[in-house]
Amino acid sequence: LAMQKIRHYSTQRLLGNHVPYAIEAYPENDQRHLSAESALYCRIFIEGLLGVEPVSLSQISFTPSLPSDWDHIKMRSLYLFGQEVDVAVTRHRKRLRVELSTESGFTFDRKITPGESITIDIPHTAGIR
């Protein structure tokens, strides 16, 4: 049911004539107090489907879960630890393949079972600490 609601909302807001925010910011609808809640839409995918959770200043935990009718999810240009990161989760039979690459050249590639958490230590780029 949740994925049906997300699919409907995304179709209406992303492919319709509105921006993907629940309530457009002030002054369009005069409800500026609700505009910050629009960030919750992004959190559905980053925290919900990818299960992203910071562990330390250089480590991130992933617990990805794909809906049964999805074979992959890709997110580009996430900013983690001061650098741009691309993440892809792909279904391979009964396992999930987690791929991560950073703009500095770091790559991570591992197959896990659905629901399994992995922690990735992402090296800092020069000048970032």
Side-chain angles (χ1 to χ4, degrees), residues 6 11 14 28-29 34 39-41 48 60 63-64 68 73 87-88 98-100 105 108-109 116 118 122 124 126 128:
I6 289 292
T11 301
L14 297 176
E28 291 88 354
N29 284 334
L34 297 176
L40 296 176
Y41 178 81
I60 197 94
T63 311
S68 60
I73 184 171
V87 178
V98 178
E99 298 173 87
L100 183 140
F108 177 89
D109 188 344
E116 180 181 348
I118 53 172
I122 301 175
H124 290 281
I128 301 174

Side-chain angles (χ1 to χ4, degrees), residues 4-116:
Q4 288 175 354
K5 299 277 187 191
I6 289 292
R7 187 175 290 119
H8 175 73
Y9 182 85
S10 297
T11 301
Q12 294 296 319
R13 300 304 287 191
L14 297 176
L15 302 176
N17 61 358
H18 295 282
V19 295
Y21 309 119
I23 302 292
E24 284 83 3
Y26 177 81
E28 291 88 354
N29 284 334
D30 198 23
Q31 296 182 354
R32 64 179 170 257
H33 60 288
L34 297 176
S35 63
E37 294 177 4
S38 299
L40 296 176
Y41 178 81
C42 300
R43 293 180 69 183
I44 291 169
F45 301 96
I46 296 170
E47 296 174 26
L49 292 176
L50 291 179
V52 173
E53 186 175 334
V55 176
S56 72
L57 294 176
S58 65
Q59 291 182 328
I60 197 94
S61 172
F62 284 89
T63 311
S65 64
L66 293 179
S68 60
D69 60 337
W70 287 22
D71 62 350
H72 71 280
I73 184 171
K74 293 181 182 179
M75 294 198 168
R76 296 185 185 150
S77 300
L78 293 176
Y79 283 87
L80 302 172
F81 311 118
Q83 58 186 314
E84 197 170 312
V85 178
D86 295 336
V87 178
V89 177
T90 311
R91 190 179 308 280
H92 284 268
R93 296 187 186 118
K94 294 183 180 182
R95 298 178 61 91
L96 298 177
R97 180 179 182 184
V98 178
E99 298 173 87
L100 183 140
S101 61
T102 69
E103 64 184 339
S104 63
F106 172 77
T107 59
F108 177 89
D109 188 344
R110 182 177 300 160
K111 288 183 182 173
I112 63 171
T113 57
E116 180 181 348

